[in-house]
Amino acid sequence: MKRGKTNIEKSLRDMLGPGLKLDEPMARHTTIGVGGRSRFFALPRSSRCVASLIRLASANRVPCMIIGRGSNLIVRDGGFDGLIIKLGSNFSAVKVHKRTVFAQAGASLSGLASRLVKMGRPGLEFAVGIPGSVGGGVWMNAGAYGGEIAHVLSRMTIIDRSGAVRTIRPKQRGFGYRQSNLPRGSVILTASFLCPPGGLNRKILQLSRRRKRTQPLEFRSFGCAFVNPPGEHAGRLIEGCGLKGTRIGGAVISEKHANFILNIGPDTKTSHIEDLIRLARQAVKETYGIILKPEVVIVGNP
Ligand SMILES: Cc1cc2nc3c(=O)[nH]c(=O)nc-3n(C[C@H](O)[C@H](O)[C@H](O)COP(=O)(O)OP(=O)(O)OC[C@H]3O[C@@H](n4cnc5c(N)ncnc54)[C@H](O)[C@@H]3O)c2cc1C
């Protein structure tokens, strides 16, 4: 970091007031419920404040990242030596128009999807039950059962690394499987989805509502640990290696769905989870010659 810790802390305090937390345990902000601390943790109240934070971090070379609901995230035990900005309830407005739906990045993706389903507006049925935010969903191009965010995303506003607000039409950027390819370091502020009234996809909706049957939702997790390789299911490959139920410390590979790693405690460390990730990758590589790519975002120091 270019400037001293105290200088940066003072600037952050001036911008955020009580919205600044120091050495915040990230276990509180991730669905897996473990993880190190973030040196600076910001809960901004406005887009302008987010832009100022991005500029401050960039000018002082402070590592900076944005999070939503932490449902696809691990912060390693050694913590994040920088600034984590959470877009939470201050960024949760949703407006339903005639053909489109506008949402701020901190809105609940599943909540939005359920609301649209109730209104008979198709497009986001697949997202019922995905526990992330709209911003996280766009960044990850969240999807399930053949549906994905990119299919319905019509527009978004972002803050780029220089702190400038820009409007982007998603076709300008290639969205891939669980990735958005947005410029690195950019912050998604809002997203608009094309969801005109019409017939709901009942099959997808049924599958979304049946997640409990196939996924270990009674435990803490970050959803799927790995993306599915082309034409395959990561869970099937891990199961094929006989790893269901394998436990390291307080983490275990789910018996119900082998692509889920669960925090069952006690005293779970992110290193236990990473060890299971390594073990599964190694076993699948040796058994099938396939290299699994993690879906979960892992940050911080070991
Ligand atoms: C039980 C369970 C089931 C799940 N099922 C699915 C599923 O079916 N399909 C699926 O795709 N995912 C699934 N997930 C994973 C997760 O919910 C999604 O990836 C979700 O979209 C992540 O959103 P988030 O707000 O939690 O993102 P976070 O975990 O907070 O962040 C994930 C990434 O997105 C970035 N990010 C977050 N917000 C922003 C923003 N506003 N601007 C820029 N970058 C941002 C972060 O920097 C990070 O790189 C599941 C997770 C759980 C726990």
Side-chain angles (χ1 to χ4, degrees):
M1 292 187 196
K2 214 165 115 191
R3 276 208 283 171
K5 183 181 168 186
T6 344
N7 272 341
I8 292 163
E9 192 182 317
K10 183 174 180 321
S11 307
L12 289 170
R13 182 72 66 203
D14 290 345
M15 285 177 191
L16 293 156
L20 173 69
K21 295 183 190 304
L22 304 178
D23 294 321
E24 176 72 359
M26 291 308 293
R28 291 187 187 153
H29 304 280
T30 55
T31 52
I32 188 71
V34 291
R37 292 168 183 268
S38 177
R39 186 166 174 189
F40 303 116
F41 182 82
L43 284 165
R45 297 173 70 92
S46 68
S47 310
R48 189 181 288 189
C49 181
V50 178
S52 303
L53 291 170
I54 298 293
R55 279 193 288 266
L56 179 80
S58 162
N60 291 282
R61 298 200 197 117
V62 176
C64 174
M65 82 172 288
I66 307 295
I67 65 164
R69 301 197 164 206
S71 63
N72 201 23
L73 183 66
I74 298 175
V75 180
R76 290 191 175 109
D77 300 320
F80 186 80
D81 190 17
L83 170 67
I84 293 185
I85 303 171
K86 177 169 173 160
L87 298 190
S89 54
N90 294 321
F91 295 84
S92 58
V94 168
K95 277 185 204 143
V96 181
H97 301 290
K98 258 189 185 164
R99 291 175 54 78
T100 57
V101 176
F102 163 93
Q104 283 188 305
S108 155
L109 181 60
S110 182
L112 175 63
S114 301
R115 181 167 162 192
L116 290 175
V117 163
K118 272 193 201 130
M119 295 173 77
R121 304 276 296 259
L124 283 175
E125 297 93 325
F126 70 88
V128 172
I130 297 183
S133 65
V134 165
V138 171
W139 184 265
M140 298 300 305
N141 189 19
Y145 316 118
E148 62 181 35
I149 289 283
H151 294 165
V152 282
L153 185 65
S154 61
R155 213 160 74 145
M156 57 195 143
T157 51
I158 65 161
I159 297 178
D160 67 20
R161 284 176 93 166
S162 70
V165 177
R166 289 163 49 193
T167 299
I168 294 199
R169 299 206 177 259
K171 275 182 194 151
Q172 288 171 243
R173 307 272 164 203
F175 275 66
Y177 173 44
R178 301 296 167 269
Q179 61 181 34
S180 57
N181 291 352
L182 284 162
R184 239 179 104 79
S186 49
V187 182
I188 297 155
L189 281 180
T190 71
S192 295
F193 304 101
L194 192 61
C195 297
L200 295 171
N201 188 324
R202 295 277 161 202
K203 197 171 166 209
I204 294 187
L205 191 53
Q206 217 174 26
L207 290 166
S208 293
R209 285 177 172 158
R210 278 192 196 158
R211 281 168 182 271
K212 251 193 197 152
R213 281 200 202 161
T214 53
Q215 298 180 358
L217 302 183
E218 62 278 32
F219 295 103
R220 305 195 75 151
S221 77
F222 38 76
C224 288
F226 301 100
V227 293
N228 290 322
E232 259 302 349
H233 287 281
R236 199 194 67 80
L237 298 172
I238 298 166
E239 184 176 350
C241 295
L243 291 177
K244 271 187 166 182
T246 304
R247 179 173 183 158
I248 296 181
V252 68
I253 294 179
S254 166
E255 293 274 5
K256 204 176 196 179
H257 190 319
N259 201 10
F260 275 62
I261 294 176
L262 312 174
N263 168 13
I264 56 167
D267 303 325
T268 312
K269 304 250 176 278
T270 55
S271 60
H272 301 154
I273 294 164
E274 281 199 274
D275 285 347
L276 282 178
I277 289 176
R278 262 190 294 275
L279 183 76
R281 288 189 92 196
Q282 182 72 19
V284 168
K285 188 176 162 210
E286 278 167 15
T287 312
Y288 299 100
I290 294 174
I291 296 176
L292 291 179
K293 186 175 160 235
E295 178 171 331
V296 61
V297 176
I298 304 173
V299 298
N301 302 315

